[in-house]
Amino acid sequence: MNVYPSQNSFAGGEVAPAMYGRTDMAKYGISLMVMYNCYAHIHGGVSNRPGWEFLVKSKYSGEKRSRGVNFEFNTKQVYNIEIGHQYFRFFYDGALILNDEDEIYEVAHPYTEEALDGLTFAQAADTLFIYHEDYPPMMLVRRDHDDWTLSAFEYRGGPWLKTNITDTAITPSGVSGTITLAASSDIFKPEHVGALWRLRHFIETKRMWGVPNPGAWVASTAYVQNNCVTYGGKAYFCLTDITSATPPPSDTANWIECSDNTSFEITVYKSWHLVTNGFWKGKLLLQRYDDSIWKTVLNLTSTENKNYNESGEVTEPTRFRVIGDSFQPTNTGEPYDRGYFQMDTSSMEYDGWGKVTAYTDAQHVQLLVKKELGKAEATKDWAEGAWSDLRGYPSCAAFTHDDRKIFAGSRYEPNVYWMSQTSDYSNLSTSLPETLDTDAITRSLVSTDRRINKIRYLVALSDILALTSGSEWKISPGGDNAAFTPTSTMSRNQGYRGISNAAPVIIGSYVLYVQEMGSTIRDLGYTLEFDRYQGNDLSILARHLFEGYTITRVAYQQEPDSIVYFLRSDGLVLALTYVREQDVWAWGRLETDGIVEDIWSSSGQNRTELWGMIRRSINGQDERYIERLAKRSSTTDPRDKFFVDSGVTYQGDPVTVINDLGHLEGKTVAILGNGNVYPQQVVTDGKVIVSEPVNIAHIGIPYLSEIETLNIDFAVKTGTIQGRTKRISKVTMRLHNSRGAWVGPRRDKMTEVKWRTNENYGEPIRLFTGDKEVEIYSEPSKEARIVIQQRDPLPLTILALMPVVEFNDKD
C-alpha cells in the first residue's frame, strides 16, 4: 500500500545520531539528519546558503591573523574595522577607506597578533572603547570618514586596591607637580609605571581673620586692640592697646598671628565658613583661584552694622582669599565692636593622588600629581591603583541604564567590578567623609563556594549580567527603576554554568552564550515565575556538531532570519536559526573551501551582514581574505543570485574573458553568467573564459549544499513504521524561487531534477515556485530517507517534502 506523509517544516534543524530513535519527540518530525551549507527559515522552510563575497586581502594575508569588529556611528554610517598586528583598517560600504593620497587609511595601535583574541569592545556614540587585561583601556574615536584617532582612556580618582594595613609609610617630596614618593620598605616595581597612587592625610582645621588689606607694621607707632598688620610675610592682630615703644608682632604677649600669609589666602579641602563681626562699612570680597585667575564668589557690603554668615564646599583643594574693597572698621567705643572677618576650614581626611611616571628603585618612584596632596608628610594611609601593567586592566565593560560605566575582569582582581561616577565615565573617585549617591562603586562577586571566577563579559539588559568563568550574576540597584548607588548595589547569583572566552550576543531580552568548556550553547533570560535569569541548553539535540571542538566566536544576524553563527575551532561555522518565542532553534553546518578564522555581524541595508576572515589555500600558499556572506536576493531573476565562495561579480559590457580573479589563481571556480551555469574551470593568469559574451557574471569557489531527512515516520494501525521495510518511490518538493537540484534515496543514487521551460531564446531559465515531483528509484529498506543536493550556483528553497511511501502493512 501507498502512504503519503509530508514534512512541512525543517525548523528542528540537524540533530545528533542520539536523536534518531526519538520519534516520540515533536521535533523529530521537523528535523533533519543533515543540514549542510543550508539553514532553516523562521517560517520552517530550508534554503541553501548564499556565497561568500570576496572584499580584500587582509594586510598581512599570508603571515598574520587579524579580526574584525563592527562600528555603527548611525544607521547610515556603518563601518567595519580590520584589527591586525598593530594596525586598524576601515571599511565603508564594503570597501576599504582611502586617504587623500589614495592609499589605504590606517591607524596604529599597540595590540600584537597574540593579543587580538583577548580584545573586547563597548561603543558609545562616536567612540569605540577597547579592553584587554594586559593593556590600558583605549578609545578609538571617529571624527570623520577618514579621520580616526586612538588614545588612552584617562581614568581618574581610582579605582584602588585595598588600603594599606602594614607599617610601610610613604613620604611625598611635595604636594603638586612631579614629586618623589619614598617608601619605608620595598613596595615599588618597574611595572608600577603608569599606575595611580593615592595618599591620605589628615587636614586640621585652619582659621584666618583680620581686616582686609592691612598695612605693614611700623615701629614706634601706637596701635589699639584689634588693629591688623603684616609682618614677616604674615598677618597679626593686636591684643592690647600699645601707645609707646611698640613691640614687634613677634611679641606674642601683645600680638597674635591671624594669617600665615599677608594676602589672606587659605586652601580649602572640603568646606569653608566665613563670618563678619563688629561694625564696618564698604565691601568685603571672597574670591577663589580658578583657571589662573581670581573669581569673586561673594560680594559682601555693609553701611556700618550689617554682618554675614556664609559657607560652602569644594570637591578639589581650592585657594580662597579675602580682600577688602573700601573695607573700613568703625569704632563705636569697645574694641570688640571694631569690624573684622573670620574664615574657617573644616578638618578632614583628604585623598590626593597621581600617576607613577618613573621607577627609581623598590622604595622610590616619581609621581605626577593629578589631585594635590594634603601634606608633604609621611603617611601609612595609602593605596595602590587597581589597574596597572603589574595588576592588569579591565578586560570588559558595559554601560548601565543610569549612565554609569561598569568595568570588570582584571588579572589581579578577576571577580571585582567597578562602576564610574554617574554620567562621568572616567571618574572612579569616591567622596570623604560621607559617601555620595553618585560616587564610584567597587564590589566583588563572591560565590557560596568561595571560588574566584573571572568576570569575562558584562551584558546590559534591565539589569547588568556579569558572566564569569564559573557562574552567572545579576547586578542591580535596590529597587525597580532605581539608580545604582554605593549603598544600593546588589549582586545575586543566577546559576553555576560559566561562560567561555567567546563573546555572547543579545537577542531581544535573552543572551546567547557559550558555556565555559566551549562546546555547549545556552540562552539566558529573566523569568517572572522564578524571579531570576535562567535558560536552556540549545545544543543538546545537536551534540555531534560540538564534540571534540570549541566555539571561538559568535555573531548574530537579526535580519532577515534571526540566525546566530558560531565559529568552531576547526574553522567550520554552525548556523542556529533562533526564535525563542516560537520555540525555533535549528542547527545547520556551513563549510567553505578554507578555514574561517573570525566572524562578526554588521548592520547592512535592510539586513544584518555576516563578515568573515577566511584563510584559503591559493596556489599552495595560505592567504587571508575578508569576505561577506552575500545577500539572498528576493528577486526571481537568476542573474542576481550569488552562490559562490570568495566570489566576485562582473557587470558591464558583454565579454567572454573575465579578469581580476587573481585572488583565486589556480582554483577551480563555478560561473553563473547571465543567469546560466557555465562549466567549471581553473583560474589561470587571473581570468576565466566563457563560451558566450556575458554582461553579468558571478565567479567563485563552488560548494555543495545538502539536506537529508531522518528515517521516515508516520503512524499505522499496527504500530510503528520504524524498523519495517518500505521504499520511497517519488517525492514532491514544494519549492520557492528555486532552480537546480539533485534528489535520491542516498548520495550514490541521485537524480537531477529536470526543469521544463518556455523562456525566449537567450533568456536564462526562470526560477521555479510550486510543486516539483521527482521519481527517486529507491530500493526497499528499513530507513527510507531522502537526500537533496544543490550542486549549482543557484538558489534552492524547500518549503515541504511529500514522499510516496510503499510498504506492506501485513509485514
Side-chain angles (χ1 to χ4, degrees), residues 487-504:
T487 57
S488 72
T489 299
M490 301 185 300
S491 306
R492 295 289 183 268
N493 179 264
Q494 305 296 296
Y496 290 94
R497 306 285 187 182
I499 188 174
S500 74
N501 288 317

Side-chain angles (χ1 to χ4, degrees), residues 3 6 326 365 567 639 780:
V3 179
S6 67
S326 68
V365 293
L567 178 57
R639 293 174 295 185

Side-chain angles (χ1 to χ4, degrees), residues 589-608:
R589 288 176 289 157
L590 310 185
E591 192 170 16
T592 186
D593 179 31
I595 302 298
V596 182
E597 294 183 337
D598 188 36
I599 55 172
W600 69 97
S601 59
S602 174
S603 295
Q605 187 174 7
N606 300 322
R607 68 174 180 129
T608 310

Side-chain angles (χ1 to χ4, degrees), residues 263-334:
S263 57
F264 287 112
E265 284 188 28
I266 192 168
T267 299
V268 178
Y269 288 86
K270 181 65 176 178
S271 61
W272 54 267
H273 184 205
L274 174 68
V275 297
T276 61
N277 297 282
F279 292 88
W280 58 279
K281 62 183 179 179
K283 291 182 180 181
L284 186 75
L285 303 181
L286 177 65
Q287 297 181 329
R288 63 179 292 169
Y289 195 68
D290 187 7
D291 197 20
S292 302
I293 62 173
W294 287 101
K295 296 181 179 179
T296 298
V297 177
L298 294 175
N299 187 334
L300 310 179
T301 62
S302 176
T303 58
E304 191 173 38
N305 60 358
K306 184 174 183 178
N307 279 303
Y308 295 87
N309 188 329
E310 304 288 343
S311 61
E313 291 191 351
V314 296
T315 57
E316 300 284 341
T318 306
R319 290 164 57 193
F320 284 81
R321 74 178 182 182
V322 178
I323 62 174
D325 182 354
S326 68
F327 182 94
Q328 182 181 348
T330 57
N331 188 345
T332 61
E334 296 297 332

Side-chain angles (χ1 to χ4, degrees), residues 695-745:
N695 57 11
I696 181 170
H698 310 293
I699 306 101
I701 300 170
Y703 56 91
L704 175 73
S705 299
E706 177 182 272
I707 66 169
E708 182 176 9
T709 64
L710 293 169
N711 292 348
I712 201 159
D713 183 60
F714 51 87
V716 293
K717 61 184 179 181
T718 55
T720 180
I721 194 67
Q722 297 296 307
R724 301 170 70 173
T725 301
K726 52 209 169 275
R727 68 179 290 267
I728 299 175
S729 59
K730 298 178 183 179
V731 62
T732 298
M733 300 184 296
R734 183 156 292 165
L735 304 174
H736 179 73
N737 281 349
S738 299
R739 200 182 99 197
W742 291 71
V743 184

Side-chain angles (χ1 to χ4, degrees), residues 117-121 131-133 393-398 406-410 413-417 445 452-459 465-473 475 497-504 513-518 551:
D117 286 337
L119 297 178
T120 66
F121 311 92
Y131 302 95
H132 191 288
E133 67 177 14
Y393 299 93
S395 58
C396 59
I406 178 171
F407 310 82
S410 71
E413 296 183 306
N415 65 327
V416 172
Y417 64 88
L445 302 179
I452 305 299
N453 293 318
K454 179 181 175 63
I455 301 173
R456 286 186 168 147
Y457 291 98
L458 297 165
V459 179
L465 294 182
L467 306 177
T468 81
S469 57
S471 54
E472 302 81 50
W473 292 77
I475 302 172
R497 306 285 187 182
I499 188 174
S500 74
N501 288 317
Y513 68 97
V514 184
Q515 207 167 289
E516 159 64 8
M517 299 304 292
I551 298 299

Side-chain angles (χ1 to χ4, degrees), residues 476-641:
S476 61
D480 293 339
N481 302 317
F484 286 103
T485 72
T487 57
S488 72
T489 299
M490 301 185 300
S491 306
R492 295 289 183 268
N493 179 264
Q494 305 296 296
Y496 290 94
R497 306 285 187 182
I499 188 174
S500 74
N501 288 317
V505 295
I506 301 174
I507 303 177
S509 59
Y510 276 78
V511 179
L512 263 68
Y513 68 97
V514 184
Q515 207 167 289
E516 159 64 8
M517 299 304 292
S519 58
T520 297
I521 312 302
R522 303 192 67 87
D523 62 5
L524 184 67
Y526 178 76
T527 57
L528 184 62
E529 179 183 1
F530 298 100
D531 189 26
R532 64 185 296 113
Y533 286 83
Q534 54 187 32
N536 298 314
D537 179 351
L538 302 179
S539 50
I540 190 169
L541 300 183
R543 294 302 307 160
H544 67 301
L545 298 178
F546 302 90
E547 291 171 353
Y549 306 100
T550 57
I551 298 299
T552 61
R553 203 81 80 220
V554 187
Y556 176 48
Q557 187 180 43
Q558 180 170 297
E559 297 290 344
D561 284 296
S562 188
I563 300 176
V564 190
Y565 296 93
F566 296 84
L567 178 57
R568 213 166 65 176
S569 51
D570 62 343
L572 185 140
V573 176
L574 303 178
L576 171 67
T577 305
Y578 176 86
V579 185
R580 197 178 201 279
E581 56 269 28
Q582 300 297 327
D583 197 30
V584 173
W585 33 295
W587 290 97
R589 288 176 289 157
L590 310 185
E591 192 170 16
T592 186
D593 179 31
I595 302 298
V596 182
E597 294 183 337
D598 188 36
I599 55 172
W600 69 97
S601 59
S602 174
S603 295
Q605 187 174 7
N606 300 322
R607 68 174 180 129
T608 310
E609 298 174 346
L610 180 70
W611 288 52
M613 196 75 63
I614 305 177
R615 173 161 50 93
R616 301 189 185 276
S617 178
I618 306 296
N619 263 351
Q621 178 177 331
D622 283 348
E623 299 284 2
R624 290 178 172 87
Y625 297 159
I626 298 173
E627 303 186 15
R628 176 177 61 185
L629 203 63
K631 179 180 181 181
R632 191 179 190 90
S633 169
S634 60
T635 73
T636 58
D637 190 340
R639 293 174 295 185
D640 298 335
K641 308 307 176 182

